Amino acid sequence: MKTFGETIQKIRKSRGITQAELSNNLLNRTTLSKIENSLEEPSYQNASLLIKRLGITQEEFDYIRNNYNLSPKEQIIYDTLNIAYNSQNQKIDSLLKRCQLISNDDDIQMITSILEAFKTGNIIEARKIIIPVWKHRISKIENWNILDLYVLNMIFFVFDEETMIGISNRTIDTIETKYPFLKSLNESFALNKAAILVHKRKFSEAIPDLQKACKLARATCRYDKLFLAKGRLAICQKNKEEAVKCLNTLKAMEALDVYRGLQTEIKEFADRFNEN
């Protein structure tokens, strides 16, 4: 792993930023030179400001500092966020073993609980494991970070509908206020919230979230989610022709899981198309 100063210098030079430009109104150029040559350590505040001035996040800085490799903890989190519920038991077992190698870490303890819940393969048992994690940790955090948001997206399925809507509202607000670059995650929460509202037959309330999901799906080029959102919007607006068009498009795209989901919704709310 490179030193803090070596990493600052590497990123600064790669971006064509001079020492004078980076240190301007923060510290003098001589001090920055000493930091870059590992002769002096910056304060936590100055270190954070130097990273911010380079236009990257702390996570990106740590990734570069670690020679473009994730740390063991970061790798566990990344691998966990990329598994499907109860579909990769060998991977879940492997992740649980890796979690045991990292002690006294709240994030890893939370990941362990989620993996154990996934392994049950039973939503009732999964809920028994995950709800305490929600009550004793995530719900008490005033400012959710990016990991909290991704974890909530993973465990969303265990909550009752009212809690889901409350979580969706807060996560969407957090993303739009603090993490606007998380467009795909924002889109997922908007779609999930809309699905609940449609299920509760609150069609007019679902429309703004579906319109938002359509906009975000276009921005992220997630056309499977775009036509799911447009199909769901067609149900809300009693437009059978548009709903069927979206369904056929999903089938042609071979987005079969999404296709089957929208197909089920169209059948469930077929009575709406007869109201016109």
Side-chain angles (χ1 to χ4, degrees), residues 30-70:
T30 302
T31 300
L32 176 59
S33 180
K34 289 180 179 179
I35 290 171
E36 289 189 345
N37 288 285
S38 303
L39 299 174
E40 186 172 321
E41 289 292 325
S43 67
Y44 176 81
Q45 182 178 9
N46 283 345
S48 298
L49 288 171
L50 285 170
I51 292 170
K52 187 174 182 180
R53 283 189 176 189
L54 289 170
I56 60 174
T57 65
Q58 181 67 52
E59 290 76 14
E60 290 171 318
F61 179 84
D62 291 340
Y63 179 66
I64 296 169
R65 187 179 182 183
N66 198 37
N67 297 313
Y68 298 94
N69 291 303
L70 297 174

Side-chain angles (χ1 to χ4, degrees), residues 188-203:
S188 292
F189 279 111
L191 269 173
N192 287 336
K193 178 186 173 186
I196 297 163
L197 291 170
V198 169
H199 179 70
K200 294 167 73 69
R201 302 188 77 86
K202 295 183 177 181
F203 302 107

Side-chain angles (χ1 to χ4, degrees), residues 191 194 207 209-215 217-218 222-247 249-250 253 258 262 265-266 273:
L191 269 173
I207 288 174
D209 290 293
L210 289 168
Q211 291 172 332
K212 177 188 294 183
C214 287
K215 181 179 179 180
R218 289 189 187 96
R222 284 299 305 269
Y223 297 109
D224 54 340
K225 290 188 176 182
L226 172 61
F227 285 101
L228 171 60
K230 286 170 65 71
R232 199 170 277 163
L233 186 60
I235 292 172
C236 293
Q237 297 173 334
K238 305 180 184 179
N239 188 336
K240 183 177 181 179
E241 182 179 353
E242 176 67 12
V244 172
K245 179 181 175 182
C246 291
L247 187 65
T249 302
L250 286 167
M253 291 169 58
V258 184
L262 181 59
E265 291 184 34
I266 290 174
F273 303 125

Side-chain angles (χ1 to χ4, degrees), residues 130-143:
I130 291 177
I131 293 300
V133 175
W134 160 252
K135 287 183 177 179
H136 301 310
R137 174 180 161 134
I138 304 176
S139 69
K140 293 185 177 181
I141 297 173
E142 185 174 346
N143 295 305

